[in-house]
Amino acid sequence: MSTVAWITLVSPLVAAALILLVTRSSKPLAAGLAILSSLIAALGAWIIFTRGVDADFHGFNWVDFGPSFTLPFGIALDPLSRTMLVIVTSISPLVFIFSLGYMKGEEGYCRYFAGLALFLFSMLGIVLADNLVMMFIFWELVGVSSYILIGHYFQKDSAADAAKQAFIVNRIGDFGFMLGILLFWIATSTSTTAGTISFAGLNASAGNINPAVLSVAVILIFCGTVGKSAQFPLHVWLPNSMEGPTPVSSLLHAATMVAAGVYLLARIFPLLSASPEAAEIIAWTGAITALGAGLLAIGQDDIKRILAYSTISQLGYMVTAAGLAVSAALPMFHLFTHAFFKCLLFLSAGSVILGMHHEQDIWKMGGLKNKMPLTFLAYCAGMLALSGCPFFSGHYSKDLIMACAWDHHRGVFWVVVIAAALTPFYMARQALVVFFGSPRSEAAKHAHESPRVMTVPLVLLSIPAIGAGWPFIEHLFFHEIGPLAEPEVPGFVPLVFLGAFVAGIALALVLYGKAVKDPLRIPLLENRFYIDTLYEWIVANVQGGFARLLAFVDRWLIDGVLVRGSATIIWTLGFALRFLQLGNIQAYAFFFGAGVIALIYVLLTVH
Amino acid sequence: MKLILPLLIAIPLAASFFIIAGANPRRTALWAALINLLASLLLFSRYDLHAGGWQFVSEWHVMPKYGINLILGADGLTLTMLLLSTLVTFAALRVAPKIAKQEGLYYVCLLFISAGVIGAFSSIDLLFLYSFHELALIPTFLLIGIWGSGDRQSAAWKATIYLGTGSFVLLIGLLALYLSIPANLRTFDLRQLEQLSLAGNIHPAAWIYLVLLIGFGSLVSLFPFHSWAPPAYASAPAPAAMLHAGVLKKFGLYGLIRIALPLFPEAMQQLNGLLLLMLIGNILYIGYVTVAQKRLDWTIGYSSVMHMGYIFLGLASLNLIGVNGASLLMFAHGLSVAAAFALCGEIRQRTGTLDYAELGGLGKVTPVLGLLFGFVALASVGLPGFANFAGEILVLFGATAYGPIMMIPVVVGVWGVVVSAIYMLRAYRNIFWGPLVSRWETLIDITPTARWSVILLLAPLMIAGFYPQFILRMAGTALHH
Amino acid sequence: MPTLANYLIASGLLFAIGLGGVLLRRSIIIIFMSLEMMLSAANLSLIAFSRFGLVSGQQNYDPQVLVFFIITVAAAEVAVGLAIIVSLYRARRTTHVEDLDHLKF
């Protein structure tokens, strides 16, 4: 079984390496290698899942200084990683195959598939890692895959800047993550035993760590989540990551990579639940993110950005669920359903974009439901799931989070409910503007359905988008991870939820049913609460100013005053001493004589 | 077998002799470097890991009465450094462009640097350690002054005099160390010094450590003794910059590991706070100075100064993890900065400018150059998969293990990783991404010779990045205190 | 009877006059003569020591030997020095020492 696990992990890496080194110009071969590796990984994942393997396979010691310090590379298979493995490897082949159609004829085709393969390898590494350092390594690799893929159209200034921003903002989150790892290591090391960074070891020693230290360490690790899962205040990179090709947005920046932050929280769940202060902060961060991003989604006009802010909002839900410290399964369940329906939404958006010849402004679309019926149906499935329509997958996971929030943390509950009300509103807005009404541009008039290589994955994804939340599926994947019993809530709560759903859609119908341009113009929302502008200002003026100041100090003070200054002093000394060279022999003779007399005097009087 | 180390030094010197006598400079130099590379690989593989300690030792008596002898030997750390030196030398010679004036002298200078560096790393006698380093230092003056670019003459003068002063301070420290030993036991032999220290016979004063730290530190551009480095690297021709930043700079750190760690345990503990302040200056202060740079050569120059801070942090942690991390980081940084300067030289050759404002979009016309530079940039930013990350993370773990005083340096160190991402990615974005500036539409991509030279440097970097034990188990044999 | 002290004072005076001549005269030939005078002063004091400084009852002849050395060296020095002066005069057409200031800063 360990072979299966290792093959699952490594096959995408092999594909990426082969594409890079060997098949640089053969397009079908590159795509084929990538898709094949994703299918192998999927096969391996389902074998592991169906066998219910629970094991820790030790690979090798990456660093080995004996028992006092080793950094091992190992695969941890338990219910949590098995479920996540299934999520990642089931979605990936569909996205890869979709890319065949979407990226057809595009520049950098081989580079794209190499990047996707590298990403899959890195993501599987995160899922399967059995210790924090190994996970951190793959965390960084996922970041670089994202950088490569967002920057795919690197000749566009916006794409180049977006990729750079994504990497750096993630790095800022990783700053906290790394400090958290070091803190956990030192907190678990005593004079006799070495510190531990393995999940098993850390989760077991949750009770032994000083509570204050534990909270700080959990918050630091949470910083990694804030970066990777685009929580406030490190959320700014995710909407800009939409510069990448749409399949990339669907796989990385909706379903899997950004979910890694939530997965991390689930992995360290025993530590999280042992520190209530940390959990509180986590829950509130998630709630604020959910609400803020939901509001921002209303003001966006780009089809992908609406979905991006929706993703941030849903990630906020997952983070809140983790912060409620009820069970590791709670955030994971929403991660599960979200992965399917959000990926579906992005892929259908990709289908729309392709049909519209790469036009992304929703106000230039319209009436596409007749031109692109399959895409429309897939989109509806995703949209209803996201909005929490009963019977669809999203309903079950969102409902559960609401109920647990009501039960555990009333304040967070109200914030999250308002966010839940916004979702159907902006999603219906998007649906109405894009698919209904009459075409508002030439491209919309001539739009056509996408080829089968793209619509088949859409249809296939619709199935879990609808059904992934149903009780028996939830039981199959989650009953071993943690308890997911729905707590007792007063009857009006689910009704509020349902009412919000209906009200949101109704309001959208009213505002956008026949709209040709957006009736709702809120500058605060359109400018994304001015947070992006604030960050730009800070980078240019605070950081830039600080850097320029230090450069000035280095050039003029340290180099100028100290180094060149000391050189100048010596030069001046030499210049002054020059005046002793009078050229007059008699003057020299005089100095000579005076010196001799002084010497004789000293010698005679010293003793 | 015993004679391979002296041969490693003699071959570049002999090649220089042949070049002066009239042989084809480039070919002779490349052959010498290739033989050296193969020899050092041979030594690397033949080293007996279980026995450890100094192997391949050869001794020549010079002034035995004073304890000065030419003793050459290698242990794991030395062999790692020798591998680094020979790799970078070979790559540097291959990347050297066509020289118009005094080609022979150019290659002779590079060979002298190579010989000096090998001698410095493999010397067990402290005085010869110092002398070989001086041998390697003087040719850089010629290289920067004659074949450099930009404000080369002032850069050459500044670098040489500054480094000369640093060496002088170092010499004072070494002599003070020598004189602090009781007269009948005096020796420059490192092995005997270690024995004496273990036996408790010598207690060199703490101020000697301070002098050594400042001496070695200026050679390694420790803050605030770093001002020579950026202008020197900016003006130096690419092979000189590769050898200097990649290899010669590591000599100071190597010296500290060899001399300060075993002989000055209490002094190091006492003065650790001072060292920590200085290395925070390297990481944080120089890091932000790098952010303000607008040219690639200045960026790489300052960035190499910044990364020295991490190696010093590993030293300052005074434990196995940190010092091993420092050794690995020395190897990794040497390779990555050499590759960076090689590619920087390639860009300069093609465009004549390294200014971010003037470049842009080169990724379209020179994709392989862009890909290689991307690898180098990500390596220097500490991406896992490259040895730099492994070294840095070990340094951070080692520092954390030292004690609470390390809290601020460790936080600074981790933040430094963010800062290095900022300036490196900015450099990459401004040079290779974005719309193609029309001036550069006709650029040719990197030639196979240069391409494979850079890959020669990147391959060990990635091997050690995927499996750091490969280097660590070598370097670790030297560090079991 | 003149004592050692008398001779030494005479020698010192002679030396001082010679030193004054070297430092103060303009003509290079006069400076040379003053230099010779300083050497003669040294000779005088040596002979005085030879006459008056008795070593274990015997007269000491070592200083007298040294005097011969000094005379010889002075002669050689004069020869070389005058040759230099002649060359200098041919080059610069002057014997005034103040005019020879090419090595001034």
Side-chain angles (χ1 to χ4, degrees):
Chain A
M1 192 48 68
S2 78
T3 341
V4 175
W6 285 107
I7 292 180
T8 308
L9 174 61
V10 169
S11 63
L13 176 65
V14 170
L18 282 176
I19 298 177
L20 181 66
L21 297 173
V22 175
T23 70
R24 291 227 73 210
S25 42
S26 166
K27 292 186 177 191
L29 196 50
L33 276 173
I35 294 177
L36 180 63
S37 72
S38 72
L39 288 171
I40 295 177
L43 181 63
W46 278 99
I47 293 178
I48 294 174
F49 182 78
T50 47
R51 295 277 184 91
V53 179
D54 252 337
D56 196 329
F57 298 125
H58 176 76
F60 62 97
N61 279 337
W62 200 61
V63 167
D64 192 347
F65 294 148
S68 63
F69 188 79
T70 53
L71 292 177
F73 245 49
I75 291 184
L77 293 177
D78 56 19
L80 185 59
S81 64
R82 288 202 301 269
T83 303
M84 190 71 184
L85 203 57
V86 165
I87 299 175
V88 172
T89 55
S90 308
I91 297 183
S92 303
L94 295 173
V95 174
F96 283 26
I97 294 173
F98 184 90
S99 305
L100 282 175
Y102 189 86
M103 295 297 287
K104 187 165 164 185
E106 290 269 350
E107 232 182 276
Y109 193 85
C110 299
R111 171 166 50 100
Y112 172 83
F113 276 102
L116 279 184
L118 179 67
F119 165 75
L120 184 57
F121 163 67
S122 319
M123 190 68 212
L124 289 173
I126 291 183
V127 173
L128 294 170
D130 73 347
N131 64 70
L132 275 172
V133 171
M134 184 177 163
M135 191 190 242
F136 184 83
I137 290 176
F138 285 103
W139 192 270
E140 293 275 318
L141 285 176
V142 151
V144 92
S145 325
S146 168
Y147 173 72
I148 296 171
L149 289 168
I150 297 177
H152 182 82
Y153 300 116
F154 61 80
Q155 287 167 65
K156 278 174 63 183
D157 274 322
S158 51
D161 291 328
K164 181 165 72 96
Q165 182 191 43
F167 193 85
I168 293 178
V169 173
N170 264 288
R171 267 274 157 124
I172 298 179
D174 296 347
F175 164 72
F177 191 178
M178 186 79 232
L179 287 176
I181 295 179
L182 292 171
L183 190 55
F184 267 122
W185 182 71
I186 201 80
T188 51
S189 65
T190 65
S191 49
T192 44
T193 50
T196 175
I197 34 120
S198 71
F199 290 117
L202 281 175
N203 286 333
S205 58
N208 301 338
I209 308 178
N210 176 333
V213 169
L214 182 62
S215 292
V216 171
V218 169
I219 295 289
L220 285 173
I221 303 254
F222 177 59
C223 287
T225 305
V226 171
K228 190 66 75 186
S229 301
Q231 299 298 294
F232 176 82
L234 294 179
H235 63 279
V236 291
W237 67 271
L238 189 52
N240 290 330
S241 76
M242 298 295 121
E243 294 284 338
T246 310
V248 166
S249 308
S250 76
L251 183 58
L252 275 75
H253 305 123
T256 48
M257 181 180 109
V258 292
V262 179
Y263 179 72
L264 173 63
L265 290 180
R267 265 271 186 241
I268 59 164
F269 189 76
L271 296 165
L272 200 159
S273 53
S275 51
E277 303 89 10
E280 176 90 9
I281 295 180
I282 294 176
W284 275 110
T285 310
I288 296 173
T289 308
L291 182 58
L295 285 170
L296 290 178
I298 301 175
Q300 299 305 311
D301 294 327
D302 180 307
I303 192 175
K304 285 174 72 174
R305 286 198 179 231
I306 300 174
L307 293 175
Y309 280 104
S310 165
T311 307
I312 300 177
S313 181
Q314 296 305 305
L315 289 167
Y317 269 93
M318 293 179 223
V319 167
T320 308
L324 292 175
V326 166
S327 131
L330 189 62
M332 288 302 295
F333 187 28
H334 195 51
L335 194 161
F336 182 71
T337 57
H338 175 267
F340 295 113
F341 62 66
K342 197 39 85 53
C343 183
L344 176 63
L345 279 169
F346 265 105
L347 287 185
S348 39
S351 177
V352 166
I353 293 174
L354 197 66
M356 292 280 299
H357 300 289
H358 288 283
E359 173 59 64
Q360 294 182 207
D361 185 346
I362 58 174
W363 295 104
K364 300 227 173 61
M365 302 177 188
L368 291 180
K369 78 173 183 338
N370 303 314
K371 306 253 174 15
M372 312 175 73
L374 273 174
T375 307
F376 171 64
L377 283 173
Y379 180 88
C380 279
M383 176 207 134
L384 289 170
L386 172 54
S387 312
C389 176
F391 189 70
F392 286 79
S393 61
H395 172 83
Y396 297 91
S397 50
K398 275 185 159 185
D399 195 49
L400 203 50
I401 297 178
M402 302 281 176
C404 292
W406 173 269
D407 212 34
H408 281 80
H409 199 311
R410 213 48 75 76
V412 159
F413 170 77
W414 289 113
V415 175
V416 150
V417 152
I418 302 174
L422 290 170
T423 311
F425 175 63
Y426 63 68
M427 286 314 290
R429 166 182 181 259
Q430 187 180 34
L432 287 167
V433 173
V434 171
F435 291 104
F436 289 86
S438 43
R440 284 184 285 275
S441 72
E442 281 306 307
K445 287 209 194 97
H446 299 124
H448 55 84
E449 185 61 88
S450 300
R452 261 219 295 262
V453 77
M454 288 166 67
T455 52
V456 166
L458 284 179
V459 170
L460 286 175
L461 263 182
S462 317
I463 302 172
I466 301 174
W470 294 342
F472 71 88
I473 301 215
E474 177 228 316
H475 180 81
L476 176 66
F477 284 96
F478 291 95
H479 79 275
E480 283 173 358
I481 300 181
L484 271 185
E486 173 126 10
E488 287 296 317
V489 281
F492 78 90
V493 169
L495 282 178
V496 163
F497 196 23
L498 199 55
F501 172 70
V502 171
I505 296 192
L507 186 60
L509 268 171
V510 164
L511 280 173
Y512 295 100
K514 293 273 189 288
V516 177
K517 63 175 179 45
D518 203 334
L520 213 60
R521 296 250 86 125
I522 308 175
L524 186 65
L525 293 184
E526 276 170 36
N527 287 312
R528 293 156 271 154
F529 295 129
Y530 297 105
I531 296 181
D532 289 56
T533 1
L534 177 66
Y535 285 171
E536 274 168 36
W537 185 87
I538 291 180
V539 166
N541 295 327
V542 174
Q543 177 182 275
F546 185 57
R548 281 190 292 274
L549 173 69
L550 287 183
F552 175 81
V553 165
D554 199 58
R555 213 160 177 145
W556 295 107
L557 285 181
I558 295 194
D559 195 31
V561 171
L562 292 179
V563 176
R564 273 190 280 216
S566 55
T568 311
I569 290 176
I570 295 180
W571 183 87
T572 315
L573 207 61
F575 186 78
L577 286 172
R578 221 171 24 143
F579 289 100
L580 282 175
Q581 302 299 318
L582 293 164
N584 185 344
I585 299 176
Q586 291 173 319
Y588 294 159
F590 176 73
F591 291 137
F592 182 65
V596 168
I597 294 173
L599 194 62
I600 295 175
Y601 175 78
V602 165
L603 284 175
L604 286 179
T605 57
V606 150
H607 298 295
Chain B
M1 212 47 172
K2 247 173 47 134
L3 289 176
I4 292 199
L5 280 174
L7 264 180
L8 277 177
I9 305 176
I11 289 177
L13 294 175
S16 314
F17 191 66
F18 286 133
I19 294 178
I20 296 176
N24 180 320
R26 191 179 164 90
R27 250 188 289 142
T28 322
L30 276 172
W31 273 109
L34 183 61
I35 297 176
N36 266 10
L37 176 58
L38 293 172
S40 84
L41 279 169
L42 179 67
L43 284 178
F44 198 86
S45 57
R46 287 293 203 91
Y47 182 76
D48 186 346
L49 282 169
H50 290 293
W54 299 102
Q55 296 176 17
F56 314 121
V57 180
S58 53
E59 254 186 80
W60 283 278
H61 293 288
V62 175
M63 278 198 268
K65 196 163 68 132
Y66 295 105
I68 303 175
N69 305 301
L70 175 56
I71 315 174
L72 299 173
D75 69 0
L77 180 61
T78 313
L79 288 175
T80 313
M81 292 290 112
L82 283 182
L83 184 62
L84 172 67
S85 318
T86 48
L87 277 169
V88 174
T89 308
F90 187 63
L93 285 171
R94 290 203 74 195
V95 178
K98 192 101 188 59
I99 308 295
K101 50 180 175 177
Q102 295 180 290
E103 193 183 13
L105 184 59
Y106 185 87
Y107 282 98
V108 165
C109 285
L110 287 173
L111 286 170
F112 263 71
I113 298 180
S114 169
V117 155
I118 294 177
F121 283 130
S122 50
S123 270
I124 302 183
D125 181 280
L126 292 182
L127 207 56
F128 276 97
L129 185 91
Y130 170 83
S131 314
F132 274 116
H133 177 258
E134 293 301 296
L135 177 66
L137 205 48
I138 302 306
T140 58
F141 173 68
L142 290 172
L143 283 167
I144 300 177
I146 304 179
W147 296 279
S149 56
D151 197 5
R152 60 180 195 261
Q153 291 183 346
S154 101
W157 281 112
K158 179 190 284 186
T160 311
I161 295 182
Y162 203 133
L163 288 172
T165 314
S167 308
F168 181 64
V169 170
L170 172 62
L171 183 62
I172 295 178
L174 287 175
L175 288 174
L177 174 63
Y178 178 77
L179 292 171
S180 72
I181 306 170
N184 54 330
L185 296 166
R186 280 194 190 145
T187 173
F188 278 109
D189 185 338
L190 200 53
R191 300 170 296 185
Q192 291 175 9
L193 287 174
E194 281 182 31
Q195 302 277 36
L196 288 175
S197 175
L198 280 175
N201 285 341
I202 53 172
H203 299 282
W207 68 266
I208 302 181
Y209 166 66
L210 186 61
V211 172
L212 284 176
L213 182 64
I214 295 180
F216 278 124
S218 359
L219 295 179
V220 186
S221 65
L222 176 66
F223 178 86
F225 306 108
H226 63 277
S227 309
W228 58 270
Y233 294 142
S235 311
M242 286 166 75
L243 274 171
H244 198 131
V247 188
L248 202 47
K249 228 190 207 187
K250 310 295 176 291
F251 165 75
L253 296 156
Y254 177 82
L256 279 173
I257 294 182
R258 282 275 184 242
I259 303 176
L261 276 180
L263 302 176
F264 292 94
E266 309 93 25
M268 283 198 86
Q269 294 235 1
Q270 273 178 340
L271 291 171
N272 227 7
L274 178 65
L275 178 58
L276 288 177
L277 269 174
M278 292 201 275
L279 67 91
I280 289 180
N282 266 70
I283 300 178
L284 204 57
Y285 168 86
I286 301 287
Y288 275 103
V289 172
T290 321
V291 170
Q293 297 309 313
K294 299 194 178 44
R295 291 174 47 108
L296 184 61
D297 44 6
W298 283 84
T299 303
I300 304 181
Y302 268 112
S303 121
S304 88
V305 173
M306 176 202 177
H307 284 284
M308 294 298 111
Y310 286 96
I311 310 183
F312 275 108
L313 185 60
L315 284 177
S317 63
L318 298 179
N319 58 43
L320 198 65
I321 307 172
V323 180
N324 264 311
S327 315
L328 182 57
L329 198 48
M330 281 203 278
F331 181 74
H333 179 265
L335 289 174
S336 65
V337 82
F341 275 119
L343 293 173
C344 180
E346 291 290 313
I347 299 177
R348 185 193 269 142
Q349 264 178 29
R350 282 162 176 71
T351 64
T353 175
L354 289 170
D355 209 319
Y356 295 157
E358 294 179 29
L359 294 169
L362 259 57
K364 179 149 190 254
V365 281
T366 56
V368 182
L369 181 56
L371 180 68
L372 287 174
F373 196 89
F375 271 91
V376 170
L378 290 172
S380 89
V381 161
L383 186 74
F386 295 99
N388 306 60
F389 170 77
E392 279 172 14
I393 203 178
L394 283 176
V395 161
L396 290 171
F397 269 104
T400 317
Y402 180 80
I405 190 182
M406 284 289 186
M407 202 161 66
I408 295 185
V410 165
V411 171
V412 167
V414 184
W415 184 251
V417 166
V418 178
V419 177
S420 70
I422 294 177
Y423 60 69
M424 223 43 195
L425 289 187
R426 177 184 298 178
Y428 191 69
R429 183 254 183 275
N430 280 322
I431 297 180
F432 288 101
W433 283 3
L436 179 60
V437 173
S438 53
R439 236 169 106 185
W440 311 126
E441 265 161 23
T442 51
L443 288 184
I444 323 168
D445 205 348
I446 190 170
T447 57
T449 319
R451 184 184 305 193
W452 285 103
S453 311
V454 173
I455 292 179
L456 178 67
L457 295 173
L458 282 177
L461 200 59
M462 290 189 78
I463 296 175
F466 275 82
Y467 187 53
Q469 272 302 102
F470 171 66
I471 297 288
L472 283 174
R473 62 171 185 216
M474 260 302 200
T477 59
L479 300 170
H480 283 286
H481 321 115
Chain C
M1 250 340 271
T3 61
L4 178 61
N6 296 6
Y7 282 105
L8 288 181
I9 292 171
S11 161
L13 278 173
L14 209 53
F15 188 86
I17 295 169
L19 184 62
V22 165
L23 292 180
L24 299 170
R25 297 300 294 255
R26 269 180 316 172
S27 169
I28 204 164
I29 298 180
I30 306 295
I31 290 177
F32 251 91
M33 285 163 41
S34 310
L35 209 53
E36 288 304 306
M37 198 187 297
M38 284 160 77
L39 284 168
S40 304
N43 285 342
L44 182 57
S45 68
L46 275 171
I47 294 174
F49 279 116
S50 164
R51 169 81 167 75
F52 289 99
L54 299 165
V55 172
S56 56
Q58 299 274 36
Q59 198 174 22
N60 189 7
Y61 290 107
D62 292 339
Q64 295 188 14
V65 173
L66 194 52
V67 164
F68 276 106
F69 270 111
I70 293 178
I71 292 173
T72 316
V73 168
E77 174 220 334
V78 163
V80 173
L82 286 174
I84 294 178
I85 292 174
V86 169
S87 301
L88 265 176
Y89 182 76
R90 285 198 188 138
R92 301 268 171 239
R93 293 277 138 198
T94 176
T95 54
H96 281 182
V97 112
E98 291 156 354
D99 298 334
L100 305 169
D101 61 358
H102 251 65
L103 288 180
K104 189 179 158 115
F105 65 82

